[in-house]
Amino acid sequence: MSGSLKQIKAVLIDLSGTLHVGNNIIPGAQNAVNKLRKSRLKIKFVTNTTKESHQSLHDRLNRLGFEVKKDEIFTSLSSVRTLIDKMKLRPHLMLSESAKRDFFGVETENPNAVVMGLSPDHFNYEEMNKAMKLLQNGAKLIAINKARYFQRENDIALGTGAFVAALEYATDVKSIVVGKPEKSFFHGAIESLGTVTLFDTPSFSPKNTGLKQMLLETFLVSKLYCVKPEAYNHYSLSNVMYIQRVQLLTLFF
């Protein structure tokens, strides 16, 4: 491992677009993860997906050959479940049937919140109208993420953010966003690691995440070169790295 990365104690690895797209493994991903597992670092696989339950995602990753433990996965659904329990909300769940499994036991009668994730079956006039009326009557709007679009196996598709924006516009209710790139998401993932000590670095923090951002394109000897924004990137606390491109895993470990 590079000397400049020796302070890193844990790595948060994104899933879709980093290790796989749908059921297609990204070349080099398995080898990179295997190398990482041989290091002293703690690993957490993080994702903004709202289509799959924790169990479903775990099953998919293992079918693809990554041999991931269930407690190594942290999702945006995990974050919203924590928020619902903390705020004692009774959500109207605009989620796929798979995602709803992560909300077993949550009270949903007489909803005082609308939880919106990627669920095309709910993105129709009647369902959106129902959500609008709940919001007009005082319900909170919880957006699991506000992605503009997402990558499918062969193309891109409209994301949750467009539908969240429609409800915000119709009701003047501002959504509470719980997934990436929100600071609470990353801190929730880090807390789930258990023993990693956090050191925030506000002077280097991007506006949204509270994490130090580094933009990388070239790795040479032990130096990291900061380059244009469209380069590979990761976010880092002083001892936690967030990786969004499998090429970074390949280069670092």
Side-chain angles (χ1 to χ4, degrees):
M1 183 184 299
S2 163
S4 60
L5 297 177
K6 285 183 178 179
Q7 77 277 17
I8 300 298
K9 296 181 181 178
V11 178
L12 308 181
I13 307 174
D14 210 340
L15 292 176
S16 182
T18 303
L19 300 187
H20 70 96
V21 175
N23 290 314
N24 295 322
I25 300 172
I26 291 179
Q30 286 175 310
N31 183 53
V33 171
N34 290 338
K35 287 183 179 180
L36 185 57
R37 287 201 180 282
K38 294 177 182 178
S39 73
R40 59 177 176 77
L41 301 175
K42 289 194 171 187
I43 302 173
K44 185 69 70 169
F45 298 92
V46 298
T47 178
N48 240 7
T49 186
T50 63
K51 298 181 295 181
E52 295 178 283
S53 67
H54 191 280
Q55 182 64 58
S56 177
L57 185 59
H58 175 256
D59 291 344
R60 177 200 289 267
L61 291 173
N62 280 277
R63 282 197 307 271
L64 292 175
F66 286 104
E67 298 183 2
V68 174
K69 298 177 183 177
K70 285 183 70 173
D71 62 3
E72 289 181 316
I73 300 171
F74 186 85
T75 75
S76 51
L77 294 174
S78 308
S79 288
V80 77
R81 175 65 191 257
T82 298
L83 180 66
I84 286 172
D85 292 344
K86 181 178 180 180
M87 298 180 69
K88 295 179 168 47
L89 298 176
R90 302 181 304 277
H92 171 58
L93 297 171
M94 299 182 72
L95 299 173
S96 69
E97 291 305 312
S98 176
K100 286 180 180 178
R101 295 172 193 155
D102 285 354
F103 297 87
F104 179 79
V106 171
E107 178 61 52
T108 57
E109 293 295 323
N110 189 25
N112 59 2
V114 173
V115 172
M116 180 175 279
L118 184 63
S119 181
D121 290 344
H122 288 92
F123 297 156
N124 59 65
Y125 188 83
E126 291 304 320
E127 288 289 337
M128 292 289 285
N129 205 44
K130 179 179 180 180
M132 180 192 72
K133 291 176 180 178
L134 287 171
L135 297 173
Q136 288 177 330
N137 287 326
K140 297 183 183 297
L141 177 58
I142 313 295
I144 300 183
N145 65 62
K146 292 185 76 173
R148 295 181 179 182
Y149 54 86
F150 67 98
Q151 180 70 50
R152 298 193 295 197
E153 292 189 18
N154 299 312
D155 61 3
I156 60 173
L158 201 60
T160 310
F163 301 95
V164 173
L167 289 177
E168 288 180 324
Y169 178 75
T171 63
D172 285 327
V173 173
K174 184 174 177 59
S175 62
I176 300 171
V177 185
V178 297
K180 296 182 296 180
E182 298 304 308
K183 181 178 180 179
S184 60
F185 174 86
F186 288 100
H187 278 233
I190 292 165
E191 287 171 6
S192 72
L193 287 165
T195 60
V196 176
T197 303
L198 302 183
F199 299 94
D200 277 322
T201 52
S203 61
F204 293 96
S205 299
K207 181 179 179 181
N208 293 332
T209 63
L211 303 178
K212 185 190 299 182
Q213 184 180 33
M214 300 178 72
L215 303 172
L216 299 96
E217 188 174 47
T218 305
F219 180 78
L220 180 62
V221 192
S222 63
K223 296 182 179 180
L224 302 177
Y225 294 87
C226 295
V227 294
K228 54 192 178 183
E230 56 265 43
Y232 304 137
N233 63 82
H234 74 263
Y235 299 95
S236 176
L237 291 166
S238 62
N239 58 359
V240 180
M241 182 188 297
Y242 169 50
I243 293 178
Q244 287 182 292
R245 295 290 185 273
V246 71
Q247 289 91 337
L248 287 181
L249 278 173
T250 306
L251 289 172
F252 292 159
F253 304 102

